Amino acid sequence: MLRFTAILIAVCATVGLGSASATPRMPATATATPVFSGGAGARTLPRITISVPSTLRWTSSGPAFLLITDTALGGSVSSQAASGATYLKPGAYTLSLKAWAAWTIRIVAGVERPRPLGGGLIGFRGNGSRELPPFTTLRGTNLVWTNTGALFSVDSGLWTLRISSKAQHGKRSMGRGTHAFVVNASGTWTIGWKP
């Protein structure tokens, strides 16, 4: 964690955060992670290098938040929620965003883990579009999903699982192994499975 933080701080210092049209700040903790913040409008942040699998956490006080990466590594976000997260694979990123009000971005080493969803299911919750971290199932099971919007899709990128639906809920068979999904939705959603 400290090595990741040191690399990220060095990269940010090298490119000059003042030119990012965003206000960087450091939380008052011993293991501080750089935080970017700003107001309404479009911004491009300084190029960053992620050396370990990480989670980008964001907040927004506006009606929508859009984050686009310049790489095929993923990590983009499109949401109407007040906060959320997306998975970042190791690699170099330039993050461009559009916000309609105040926002923050914080990148932390490590990945989200599936959480209990009720009914014996574990999985992830979200709003809009985001990338999920890889997770492993030890047996074949059903992927169960819900969505409040008019569009819901899941893509594994490897054709191991693909969903595209206008329904509010459904399920799809999911084999055992490691899975990595990109979720695109127009509402608030859950995806879960029985461990």
Side-chain angles (χ1 to χ4, degrees):
M1 172 77 174
L2 290 176
R3 182 173 183 262
F4 169 77
T5 302
I7 291 170
L8 190 55
I9 290 170
V11 168
C12 292
T14 300
V15 297
L17 289 174
S19 63
S21 299
T23 305
R25 59 186 169 83
M26 297 292 289
T29 63
T31 58
T33 300
V35 175
F36 302 95
S37 63
R43 307 284 189 264
T44 298
L45 300 180
R47 190 157 183 83
I48 59 171
T49 300
I50 305 297
S51 59
V52 297
S54 298
T55 302
L56 182 147
R57 299 193 182 279
W58 60 269
T59 65
S60 174
S61 59
F65 182 77
L66 178 64
L67 177 70
I68 299 170
T69 63
D70 68 335
T71 174
L73 294 171
S76 295
V77 171
S78 176
S79 180
Q80 295 179 345
S83 63
T86 193
Y87 172 65
L88 296 179
K89 300 175 182 81
Y93 294 82
T94 297
L95 305 174
S96 297
L97 64 93
K98 184 165 185 180
W100 285 257
W103 56 270
T104 63
I105 289 176
R106 180 171 53 104
I107 300 170
V108 294
V111 298
E112 295 175 88
R113 298 290 177 217
R115 296 186 177 173
L117 299 176
L121 298 175
I122 62 169
F124 298 94
R125 298 178 187 277
N127 176 284
S129 302
R130 64 172 286 206
E131 187 159 340
L132 299 179
F135 62 91
T136 302
T137 54
L138 300 178
R139 61 185 176 91
T141 185
N142 284 320
L143 181 73
V144 179
W145 58 270
T146 65
N147 183 44
T148 62
L151 171 67
F152 180 79
S153 73
V154 172
D155 187 0
S156 69
L158 301 173
W159 296 89
T160 58
L161 187 123
R162 185 166 268 204
I163 299 170
S164 181
S165 179
K166 293 181 181 179
Q168 302 293 301
H169 57 86
K171 69 180 176 178
R172 182 69 53 92
S173 178
M174 180 172 68
R176 69 183 177 104
T178 301
H179 308 278
F181 298 145
V182 175
V183 178
N184 291 301
S186 59
T188 299
W189 52 265
T190 64
I191 65 167
W193 60 91
K194 291 193 175 179

